[in-house]
Amino acid sequence: MQLYNTLSAEERAELIDQAGKQRLTLSFYAYAKIKDPQQFRNDLFLAWNQLDALGRIYVAHEGINAQMSVPADNFDAFRETLEVYDFMKGIRLNVAVEQDDHSFLKLTIKVRDKIVADGLKDDTFDVTNKGMHLKAKEFNQILEDPNTIVVDFRNHYESEIGHFKGAITPDVETFRESLPIINDQLKNHKEDKNLVMYCTGGIRCEKASAYFKHQGFKNVYQLEGGIIQYAKQIKEEGLESKFIGKNFVFDNRLGERITNDIVSQCHQCGKPCDNHTNCANDGCHLLFIQCDECKATMENCCSTACLEMTHLPLVEQVKLRKGKQVGNKVFRKGKSATLTFKNSGNLTDKVLAVADKPKPIREKIKIKKVLIGKTEHFFVKAQVGQFVIENHELNVGDKILISGPTTGNEELILEKMLVSGKQVQQANIGDKVTFEVPFRIRLSDKLFKVK
């Protein structure tokens, strides 16, 4: 009985490309009382693995929180797996504004203490006693009321690239930090103000609204379905968007555009930009905003120190990382002294630029490609890559594609190659091949022949 992934992210991405079928990125949540979260987790894995459903899902005694990628052909069958459970009958599935077949590349279902970490030890409030849900039109209307206070219950790196006009945007890294901050900040307005809140898909506000009602706030409201549903409704109903910029999402896209307004800056040069990336240094992986020019100059790194680290042999990199803390204490989200133009906390509604016409998140490769091998080494100064041939033969004159999460998709014509130091016209399975590569490649990259 398979209860865990057997394919790597790279292998899964290749299978998705070969299948050539549309996938839907979606999210959903439900608060419920689950007696055996581990068994619930296993049952879901077995059902979803058969449907080629991927994603990151948390289950706990208090319910389920899921962000997923599902083949469009299997959407109805996927919904049926949810309808088996009474608490998920008719559940709202938030389908993403922008689609990307590679949004998730593994099926990861984890059992947690809570589906939303709140840091609260107060079990006396009822999480189901939530605030009043507002659809997009109602949400827009209440924002016009001078007695309304709107609060963004997301983290600083989310609100920086997009938020509702006039919203309080706490300078926090976790949801649990925002609850006491907002409670203290608004303690004198429990009866005379409308406390209106929003988040990405609604799950954080569901718990926050119940918490603030428990704290004595009389008029508590939340955006139904979060920013994801809001974006869908304003488009369908032709409403004005009170949200400006991008909506940060927790998958490989890292954001989906709601309006063409750019309200944030490249953290390195200050140019208007709202594209998040992760530092290419495996000992850092800092989440930050980086424009295309800085991405090319800094090779996807957040600092010169990280850039220098990526140029060291892999053995040296591993040695330097040995003994250092890992996890959230290393992989920080958007906070570093090296990021000159980072903004968080009290954000303005000032629009810095207008985005170009939207492009596909990932340019799809329309032509057939065949996996040939993988990268073994990149000699930076010589701009030479070394590859292990694992499938099929490789010939001089072939059109090849080098692909990876950071490198992207880079094509070139193979004009010359060496095997064991000798120039050859053909390389076969098992050979180690070297040839010039006019761009940086990484050990996670795959080598394909394009037909």
Side-chain angles (χ1 to χ4, degrees):
M1 185 167 60
Q2 182 192 337
L3 293 173
Y4 300 93
N5 290 281
T6 58
L7 297 176
S8 67
E10 291 81 6
E11 290 170 327
R12 179 72 71 175
E14 176 59 19
L15 288 177
I16 290 173
D17 284 342
Q18 289 177 359
K21 294 185 176 181
Q22 182 191 8
R23 300 181 67 89
L24 298 175
T25 300
L26 55 87
S27 60
F28 64 92
Y29 69 89
Y31 284 99
K33 294 182 179 179
I34 299 175
K35 292 183 179 180
D36 189 345
Q38 185 62 51
Q39 185 60 51
F40 178 56
R41 178 261 174 214
N42 292 346
D43 292 342
L44 290 179
F45 192 97
L46 290 172
W48 292 346
N49 192 47
Q50 292 180 7
L51 298 176
D52 193 25
L54 308 172
R56 181 172 55 248
I57 302 94
Y58 299 132
V59 298
H61 286 290
E62 69 173 9
I64 180 171
N65 179 16
Q67 295 88 40
M68 303 188 67
S69 170
V70 178
D73 291 347
N74 292 343
F75 182 79
D76 291 337
F78 174 76
R79 180 176 279 282
E80 288 177 6
T81 67
L82 306 180
E83 299 283 343
V84 169
Y85 303 93
D86 288 339
F87 71 89
M88 287 196 285
K89 287 185 181 296
I91 192 169
R92 180 186 61 246
L93 301 180
N94 288 332
V95 179
V97 176
E98 299 175 340
Q99 296 299 331
D100 180 0
D101 293 343
H102 291 195
S103 58
F104 290 100
L105 296 173
K106 288 188 177 182
L107 177 58
T108 304
I109 310 178
K110 294 184 177 181
V111 176
R112 292 284 180 88
D113 291 334
K114 295 183 178 182
I115 56 174
V116 176
D118 52 31
L120 299 174
K121 296 182 180 179
D122 182 0
D123 295 326
T124 62
F125 80 96
D126 180 3
V127 72
T128 64
N129 183 25
K130 56 201 175 189
M132 184 178 295
H133 282 208
L134 299 175
K135 295 187 181 298
K137 185 176 181 179
E138 299 166 324
F139 194 82
N140 279 1
Q141 290 171 344
I142 203 169
L143 292 185
E144 298 295 331
D145 188 334
N147 287 321
T148 291
I149 297 176
V150 60
V151 181
D152 189 327
F153 273 96
R154 300 174 303 153
N155 305 322
H156 65 84
Y157 52 91
E158 300 175 75
S159 57
E160 184 177 10
I161 61 170
H163 52 268
F164 278 95
K165 297 175 184 178
I168 295 173
T169 52
D171 189 10
V172 297
E173 289 193 15
T174 62
F175 171 69
R176 72 184 70 182
E177 295 174 63
S178 62
L179 294 177
I181 290 174
I182 297 301
N183 193 32
D184 182 65
Q185 190 172 340
L186 304 181
K187 60 185 177 183
N188 295 325
H189 298 290
K190 292 186 177 181
E191 296 190 11
D192 65 333
K193 296 290 185 181
N194 299 317
L195 175 55
V196 180
M197 57 189 69
Y198 69 91
C199 57
T200 307
I203 186 170
R204 284 176 278 189
C205 290
E206 198 90 348
K207 179 170 284 190
S209 67
Y211 171 76
F212 283 103
K213 287 185 71 175
H214 180 68
Q215 291 296 315
F217 286 81
K218 301 301 182 185
N219 305 307
V220 181
Y221 303 86
Q222 66 183 94
L223 179 58
E224 184 179 58
I227 301 165
I228 296 174
Q229 278 298 308
Y230 179 85
K232 181 180 180 182
Q233 289 171 13
I234 61 171
K235 184 176 181 181
E236 291 176 346
E237 300 174 30
L239 303 174
E240 175 193 358
S241 177
K242 300 287 188 180
F243 185 96
I244 51 175
K246 261 185 178 180
N247 179 30
F248 184 93
V249 292
F250 295 88
D251 57 57
N252 292 337
R253 297 172 299 155
L254 295 179
E256 53 185 16
R257 185 160 297 288
I258 308 301
T259 72
N260 290 329
D261 305 305
I262 297 177
V263 297
S264 53
Q265 300 169 277
C266 170
H267 287 164
Q268 293 174 319
C269 73
K271 174 183 176 181
C273 178
D274 53 12
N275 295 325
H276 274 103
T277 188
N278 286 105
C279 180
N281 176 14
D282 288 335
C284 177
H285 286 180
L286 180 77
L287 178 71
F288 68 108
I289 299 174
Q290 188 178 48
C291 68
D292 290 342
E293 289 81 358
C294 289
K295 188 182 185 75
T297 302
M298 297 297 294
E299 298 179 21
N300 218 130
C301 292
C302 70
S303 65
T304 53
C306 282
L307 177 60
E308 291 170 0
M309 176 76 82
T310 62
H311 287 185
L312 295 174
L314 181 60
V315 175
E316 285 297 315
Q317 294 185 43
V318 173
K319 189 183 298 183
L320 290 171
R321 293 200 301 268
K322 189 175 182 180
K324 291 188 177 181
Q325 290 179 312
V326 296
N328 290 333
K329 293 182 179 180
V330 172
F331 304 137
R332 307 297 287 179
K333 293 178 177 177
K335 291 280 184 86
S336 169
T338 65
L339 303 179
T340 308
F341 296 94
K342 165 68 183 174
N343 294 299
S344 60
N346 295 321
L347 301 174
T348 70
D349 298 336
K350 183 179 179 181
V351 176
L352 303 178
V354 177
D356 295 332
K357 185 178 179 181
K359 298 178 181 179
I361 296 173
R362 177 179 286 104
E363 294 291 342
K364 299 292 189 296
I365 299 171
K366 304 296 183 182
I367 44 184
K368 186 178 179 180
K369 61 180 184 179
V370 178
L371 180 63
I372 299 295
K374 63 183 180 181
T375 304
E376 185 166 87
H377 194 68
F378 181 61
F379 303 92
V380 178
K381 291 184 179 180
Q383 291 284 284
V384 168
Q386 184 177 61
F387 304 83
V388 177
I389 305 300
E390 299 178 329
N391 303 290
H392 306 283
E393 76 285 346
L394 182 64
N395 297 284
V396 170
D398 284 344
K399 186 176 183 180
I400 58 174
L401 169 74
I402 299 174
S403 178
T406 301
T407 303
N409 297 313
E410 298 284 355
E411 293 184 1
L412 57 90
I413 302 296
L414 185 58
E415 298 179 349
K416 176 183 175 181
M417 63 178 170
L418 302 177
V419 173
S420 300
K422 296 182 180 179
Q423 187 171 338
V424 298
Q425 293 296 307
Q426 185 180 79
N428 300 302
I429 296 174
D431 286 342
K432 291 187 177 182
V433 178
T434 55
F435 53 82
E436 290 185 6
V437 182
F439 45 83
R440 177 167 176 74
I441 60 175
R442 293 158 180 84
L443 296 182
S444 60
D445 291 349
K446 301 292 186 182
L447 175 65
F448 299 89
K449 182 189 297 187
V450 178
K451 293 186 176 182

